[in-house]
Amino acid sequence: MRVLFTVFAAKPHFYNLVPMAWAFRAAGHEVRVASQPDLMDAVTRAGLVGVPVGDELNLSNSFADRGPGGGAGGGATWQRLSGVTETRAEKLTWDYVLGTFTIGCSMEYEHMAGQPMLDDLVDFARSWRPDLVVWDALTLVGPVAARACGAAHARMLFGLDYTSRMWATYRRLLAEQPPERRDDPVADWLAGRLSRYGLVHESGRATEMMTGQWTIDPTPSWMQLPLDVPRTPVRYVPYNGPTTVPDWPLEKPSRLRVCLSLGMSGRELLGGDKVSVTGGTAAEVSLHELLVTLAGLDIELVATLSADRLAALPELPENVRAVEFVPLNELLPSCAAIIHHGGFGTVGNVLAHGVPNLTVPAPWWDEADLGRRIAARGAGLFLDPDEVTAEALRDGLRRLVEEPSFRSEARRVRDELLATPSPGEVVREAEALIRRHRC
């Protein structure tokens, strides 16, 4: 069979797809990955065949010199996307939910995967004729291309399924409106996209166009939102990108090793490392102050920082190892704890290796919810960005390395993850689902 993956040009989202793409290829299927041209180097370096579609996205330029919401373009897009994560009942009025999807259809989805990308993707899909399209959950050109070529299609989550939850609220509130208030921007948007390729939007298929014929979900069951969504669970398999591993992560450290990782998204989209990225309410902790304070513990501190931040740092304590990059999949087995920003890729690596962790969440998507779930499970601690101080991080880290309950629970989480179906097992299930859904 032929399997087409599609994702907008953001490495963290692509890296989330790589193990599934490898699994289909290893099972003997043909695999292609379609994205904007600026992702093609990452695709080919992952050992996969890339298909450039549309124009370059240059997502990092949208964030240049801005925090989330700090002006037009991508920063504002990510701030609006956070509206999908809203859970407070008093906020979820019809006007709020309608506005969320109106902005989503007219701006957000088009910003990440717009008409040029869709036109090229449909042309390729109709020519190559895949049996299955696997699409990143924010890359909504995928289901349209699948409809255009008759393929089955599955959505691949990169974290908590806020979209399905908000979509269910939208459909419920829409049905409750009087006829004169039943504006449906999603139906209008889908109809416009489909009609460009001679297709008719069917209202009964709106849910599958927004959330997939089924969903491949790498989120552990105890983290998932309670939703009625056809779901195929898959074990999270870390992929940290192409790299060469240095010798030192494989050596047994002389002290307890702790990692400080601020994530790929902040580095690539904001152009640097942030200790606290909160939208402006909390002061950013001095990086040098933070490193010196943490180094006051009897640990070896490994801090992954961008090259410009490394160059700007004053002299550091002898038990701090500051490096530009080291793959977490290779580093974490030797770590007693990690402080991180809560991104799904980092969380996946952390859970896969059973490492106690302290989350200081970034504001992109589900970082705060993931961090709170880990803390509630007893496998880590959560620190609100508005409460970040170097001393608070030090005290939390001390608890992680001194209290054995965190390590015990983190290892239980790891064992549960290992019992989840592997990507190879999911491929076999997908083969049956493809026959059911393919036109």
Side-chain angles (χ1 to χ4, degrees):
M1 291 191 293
R2 291 179 169 179
V3 183
L4 174 62
F5 286 76
T6 188
V7 58
F8 72 104
K11 284 182 183 177
H13 286 250
F14 167 63
Y15 285 3
N16 183 55
L17 300 177
V18 168
M20 271 313 313
W22 280 346
F24 276 103
R25 190 71 188 93
H29 303 301
E30 293 185 66
V31 173
R32 300 290 184 272
V33 179
S35 183
Q36 288 104 338
D38 35 334
L39 193 69
M40 288 299 101
D41 181 60
V43 172
T44 55
R45 293 183 73 198
L48 297 166
V49 179
V51 179
V53 288
D55 305 321
E56 287 198 355
L57 180 59
N58 290 321
L59 195 60
S60 60
N61 288 348
S62 301
F63 286 80
D65 301 320
R66 305 179 179 100
T77 293
W78 283 102
Q79 186 184 48
R80 289 191 300 270
L81 278 172
S82 67
V84 180
T85 71
E86 181 61 62
T87 59
R88 292 169 291 179
E90 68 274 14
K91 290 280 290 183
L92 293 175
T93 64
W94 171 238
D95 287 340
Y96 179 90
V97 176
L98 176 64
T100 296
F101 280 102
T102 299
I103 293 172
C105 292
S106 62
M107 299 179 68
E108 293 162 2
Y109 311 146
E110 295 294 330
H111 176 75
M112 290 179 284
Q115 198 65 60
M117 180 178 181
L118 180 56
D119 284 343
D120 289 352
L121 186 66
V122 168
D123 285 346
F124 176 75
R126 283 178 163 172
S127 173
W128 195 57
R129 301 197 62 80
D131 300 280
L132 172 66
V133 176
V134 179
W135 48 283
D136 165 77
L138 285 181
T139 310
L140 289 164
V141 292
V144 178
R147 278 283 308 277
C149 69
H153 63 92
R155 181 180 57 139
M156 181 87 179
L157 291 183
F158 56 86
L160 298 182
D161 194 1
Y162 293 133
T163 300
S164 290
R165 183 176 64 184
M166 188 62 77
W167 173 249
T169 303
Y170 174 83
R171 299 294 294 172
R172 175 177 59 80
L173 293 176
L174 177 63
E176 294 173 357
Q177 302 308 306
E180 67 272 14
R181 292 204 65 195
R182 287 183 187 166
D183 296 326
D184 192 349
V186 177
D188 295 341
W189 177 69
L190 289 172
R193 282 193 151 196
L194 290 166
S195 66
R196 186 177 179 90
Y197 312 109
L199 303 168
V200 176
H201 173 56
E202 304 165 30
S203 59
R205 301 182 71 174
T207 294
E208 78 168 47
M209 296 296 291
M210 295 299 293
T211 63
Q213 291 173 326
W214 75 92
T215 293
I216 302 172
D217 193 350
T219 313
S221 59
W222 54 275
M223 281 186 162
Q224 293 168 2
L225 301 174
L227 296 166
D228 183 20
V229 175
R231 193 194 315 262
T232 298
V234 64
R235 182 191 315 158
Y236 182 87
V237 175
Y239 173 71
N240 302 151
T243 185
T244 299
V245 182
D247 292 336
W248 64 264
L250 308 178
E251 299 169 356
K252 185 177 180 180
S254 59
R255 297 170 170 175
L256 291 178
R257 179 174 285 162
V258 173
C259 176
L260 172 66
S261 174
L262 302 175
M264 179 181 294
S265 294
R267 180 176 297 189
E268 296 213 340
L269 301 182
L270 293 176
D273 303 298
K274 300 286 184 180
V275 177
S276 172
V277 189
T278 65
T281 59
E284 183 179 334
V285 176
S286 160
L287 182 57
H288 185 257
E289 175 195 355
L290 172 61
L291 296 176
V292 170
T293 302
L294 294 178
L297 300 175
D298 186 20
I299 61 173
E300 175 195 338
L301 179 64
V302 179
T304 59
L305 304 169
S306 61
D308 59 331
R309 294 301 287 267
L310 284 170
L313 282 174
E315 185 177 352
L316 294 172
E318 56 85 21
N319 60 331
V320 175
R321 186 192 296 266
V323 295
E324 185 171 0
F325 174 77
V326 61
L328 288 179
N329 192 48
E330 310 302 328
L331 175 63
L332 288 179
S334 66
C335 287
I338 178 174
I339 299 172
H340 62 92
H341 70 301
F344 186 69
T346 299
V347 167
N349 278 267
V350 168
L351 299 185
H353 292 289
V355 181
N357 57 104
L358 193 162
T359 305
V360 183
W364 307 117
W365 185 253
D366 58 359
E367 291 85 356
D369 277 353
L370 292 178
R372 291 190 182 101
R373 281 164 164 75
I374 294 171
R377 178 70 192 261
L381 295 170
F382 177 85
L383 186 60
D384 190 287
D386 290 330
E387 300 172 358
V388 168
T389 64
E391 292 74 20
L393 288 168
R394 179 199 59 204
D395 294 345
L397 179 58
R398 180 185 285 116
R399 286 191 62 195
L400 290 182
V401 298
E402 292 183 355
E403 298 179 22
S405 63
F406 293 109
R407 170 68 69 177
S408 298
E409 193 58 35
R411 287 176 173 172
R412 276 192 284 271
V413 168
R414 176 197 60 193
D415 293 343
E416 292 172 11
L417 191 69
L418 292 174
T420 306
S422 69
E425 293 172 287
V426 169
V427 167
R428 292 192 288 274
E429 183 176 346
E431 290 166 346
L433 290 168
I434 290 168
R435 289 189 287 270
R436 183 190 311 170
H437 289 289
R438 183 178 51 200
C439 297

